[in-house]
Amino acid sequence: GAEPAKSQLVEDHEAHMLVAEWRLHKFQSPIELSHEESITHDHFDPLEFHGHWDNDGVATFTNTGKTVVLRFSERATPYLVGGPLHKDTYCFEQLHFHWSDDDSGGCEHIFEGRAYSMEAHAVHYNLKYGSFKDAVDKPDGLAVIGFFLEATDNEDNPCFSEMVKGVQNVIKINTTTNIAPDCLNWIKEEAQCKGYYTYQGSLTTEPYLESVTWILYPTPIHVSRQQVAYFRELKSTACEKINIVNNVRPIQSPPADKKINVIFA
Ligand code: 1SD
Ligand code: ZN
């Protein structure tokens, strides 16, 4: 009858609008963050990390040719709830890093006009979509937690040494190694800090889908220059001539009315 035909039209229109909106690239990442230009909230549910630090599963580290990726076995998938994630649960998919050829750059987001040496992204997908693949193109599909790393002249950060050991074991492209499942301890302290920045944005790699709730912790984690340097040894091609020396997307200009929230839960 006429009713179903009409609702089909509405559905088609809505789908079209959704696609059109995505094409506008209104929510591209990374962006610059500043406290002054953010909206402050101090009554928010805390963001809860479950299984990220006390994991007893199997963890692997892989050189993909573009970055190094940490994964946990399915049996021990960490998950996130609370904060800006509404009532949904977000499952850990992987953690990876961005860096450049220079310790004074290498992060993707810029915080108060400052760049850091590296940025780590803990990628999570919304459990209601069942898998990362089915969540990646949904507006509320992903939550990526970002941490800055700053190279200093000081000693190695001992909590970060398991990551560095992993890097040294996957210098060749497409190689994988096992690492200790408690290897995320280096972000624990920062992740338990009260303040973080959050906004709706995109993947920073192709296909740049606008499906990410970004959550960024502003205080950098200190590591040594040598610990960062090991990442630049990773090979990006099978012929082993080319190293991964820059996997950072430049800053994207957000629309003037873009909302960035800083949350002190
Ligand atoms: O760069 C990563 C890419 O490797 C892939 O992990 C993708 C989906 O998880 O996310 C981007 S990013 O936006 O987290 N940098
Ligand atoms: Zn990333």
Side-chain angles (χ1 to χ4, degrees), residues 110-132:
I110 298 289
F111 181 62
E112 303 291 5
R114 271 214 61 170
Y116 292 107
S117 314
M118 296 181 83
E119 191 168 319
H121 290 156
V123 180
H124 296 71
Y125 67 88
N126 195 326
L127 176 64
K128 75 180 180 193
Y129 298 119
S131 71
F132 171 79

Side-chain angles (χ1 to χ4, degrees), residues 29 64 66-67 69 71 93-94 96-98 108 121-124 132 136 142 144 202-206 212 214 247:
S29 298
T64 66
K66 298 207 154 63
T67 185
V69 174
R71 292 180 188 277
E93 171 72 10
Q94 46 103 328
H96 63 268
F97 295 90
H98 298 265
E108 295 207 303
H121 290 156
V123 180
H124 296 71
F132 171 79
V136 71
L142 304 181
V144 183
S202 75
L203 299 179
T204 64
T205 55
E206 279 180 8
V212 181
W214 281 98
N247 56 9

Side-chain angles (χ1 to χ4, degrees), residues 68-84:
V68 272
V69 174
L70 164 74
R71 292 180 188 277
F72 289 107
S73 55
E74 227 164 82
R75 184 180 76 66
T77 303
Y79 65 93
L80 284 174
V81 289

Side-chain angles (χ1 to χ4, degrees), residues 143-168:
V144 183
I145 319 299
F147 298 91
F148 296 117
L149 288 96
E150 184 176 21
T152 69
D153 292 325
N154 301 339
E155 307 272 281
D156 288 354
N157 176 340
C159 297
F160 196 61
S161 64
E162 190 62 21
M163 294 283 109
V164 176
K165 206 169 86 192
V167 166
Q168 289 169 286

Side-chain angles (χ1 to χ4, degrees), residues 8 46 49 57 61 129 138 163 195 234 258:
Q8 184 61 49
F49 290 77
F61 217 43
Y129 298 119
K138 309 295 188 298
M163 294 283 109
L234 292 161
K258 177 141 195 85

Side-chain angles (χ1 to χ4, degrees), residues 47 49 53 111 116 120 145-149 157 159 184-197 215-222 263-264:
L47 181 65
F49 290 77
W53 339 121
F111 181 62
Y116 292 107
I145 319 299
F147 298 91
F148 296 117
L149 288 96
N157 176 340
C159 297
L184 284 183
N185 281 342
W186 55 279
I187 54 177
K188 183 175 175 178
E189 204 182 314
E190 185 54 23
Q192 283 164 352
C193 287
K194 289 190 181 303
Y196 55 80
Y197 289 73
I215 296 174
L216 294 140
Y217 284 86
T219 309
I221 296 160
H222 288 172
I263 294 182
F264 295 100

